[in-house]
Amino acid sequence: MVPDDAAHGGAPSSATQLEQPAVIPFVPAAGTWTLAWVVGSIVFAPLLITAMGVDSGSDLTIEQLLLVAAVAWIVLLVALVLASRRFGTGDVVADYAVRFRPVDLVGVPVGVVTQLALIPLLYAPLRALWPDTFSTEKLEERAQDLADRATGLSTVLLVVIVVVGAPIVEELVYRGLLQRSMATAVGATPALVFTSVWFSLIHFSPIEYPGLFLAGLVFGAGVVITKRIGPAIVTHAAFNATGIIMVLSDR
């Protein structure tokens, strides 16, 4: 969406850019995500794992995991830049609403409360109905496995993956690209719900789907309220940091 003054040949004012951030249409946005995810996660990541000599079924070290994640992230980031140039304004900051304000720091307590209070409340009735399926041990199994592989410097690398890399890249993709583009087609609330489902499913961990969906709603709500992804990144980082602190402290 191009501001009126830009359409008439004038330079858009900063105030206009804040009020009417450019949005990439949903179909190109979905195509961008699909192509980038296939190339990064289905093609390049397995090739890198094979090149590192990791046997099928073996766990990656934290260092190897960072390399694999970095490859997938780079592909996604390159795709975002290309999509901005092809379907948006070419200004990545404007096209994906990459703006921060001091008030975004409220995302820190929101992320902590989501991890410590909202997620347990969500799983309490599920655990009551299906105690074996939704046991605490099973819910924490994947995170605990990562924490058990982290020692010394690799613990720092794990924090980089979970608290820095994942929140930035995932919010750029799922909220900056997909949620905002979908909102132009179906409205803010359906886009928030659908993108939260998308976000949870792509983690391929069924037991975590309810919690990831709730987290996606919280992250995406910040975008709906502020029209920026800054709050979502801060909230996501705080949410992940709280989770990793919990599992590291349990070792």
Side-chain angles (χ1 to χ4, degrees):
M1 182 166 56
V2 181
D4 290 341
D5 48 0
H8 288 86
S13 66
S14 58
T16 301
Q17 286 181 324
L18 290 178
E19 294 169 3
Q20 295 181 309
V23 176
I24 296 172
F26 176 64
V27 172
T32 296
W33 176 88
T34 302
L35 180 60
W37 186 79
V38 169
V39 172
S41 299
I42 304 299
V43 178
F44 284 177
L47 287 175
L48 179 57
I49 291 172
T50 301
M52 291 188 295
V54 179
D55 295 332
S56 177
S58 298
D59 290 331
L60 298 176
T61 66
I62 298 300
E63 293 81 359
Q64 291 170 335
L65 182 63
L66 177 58
L67 288 174
V68 172
V71 167
W73 291 341
I74 288 170
V75 172
L76 285 168
L77 293 174
V78 169
L80 291 178
V81 172
L82 295 177
S84 174
R85 293 178 178 177
R86 175 65 179 83
F87 304 107
T89 67
D91 183 346
V92 172
V93 171
D95 288 342
Y96 304 118
V98 190
R99 293 186 297 275
F100 293 85
R101 299 289 181 270
V103 71
D104 296 349
L105 290 176
V106 75
V108 174
V110 171
V112 173
V113 169
T114 302
Q115 182 69 261
L116 297 181
L118 298 185
I119 296 296
L121 283 174
L122 172 66
Y123 277 103
L126 297 176
R127 188 176 295 113
L129 291 171
W130 300 285
D132 293 333
T133 301
F134 292 101
S135 66
T136 300
E137 293 75 16
K138 288 184 179 180
L139 282 172
E140 297 178 353
E141 183 176 3
R142 191 164 69 153
Q144 194 63 59
D145 177 61
L146 284 175
D148 291 342
R149 285 184 256 166
T151 57
L153 178 60
S154 63
T155 301
V156 177
L157 297 179
L158 178 60
V159 171
V160 170
I161 296 171
V162 174
V163 182
V164 180
I168 292 174
V169 177
E170 290 182 354
E171 293 312 310
L172 279 167
V173 172
Y174 290 97
R175 257 60 69 173
L177 173 68
L178 295 176
Q179 181 177 319
R180 293 175 65 249
S181 67
M182 187 180 297
T184 64
V186 299
T189 300
L192 171 62
V193 172
F194 187 82
T195 307
S196 298
V197 172
W198 196 333
F199 172 74
S200 61
L201 294 179
I202 202 61
H203 283 79
F204 297 105
S205 180
I207 194 173
E208 297 179 22
Y209 285 165
L212 289 168
F213 173 70
L214 175 59
L217 289 177
V218 173
F219 304 156
V223 178
V224 173
I225 294 169
T226 68
K227 314 303 180 187
R228 298 179 283 104
I229 69 167
I233 293 175
V234 173
T235 305
H236 194 157
F239 177 86
N240 284 7
T242 304
I244 202 66
I245 290 171
M246 290 169 60
V247 295
L248 288 174
S249 63
D250 288 341
R251 289 193 305 184

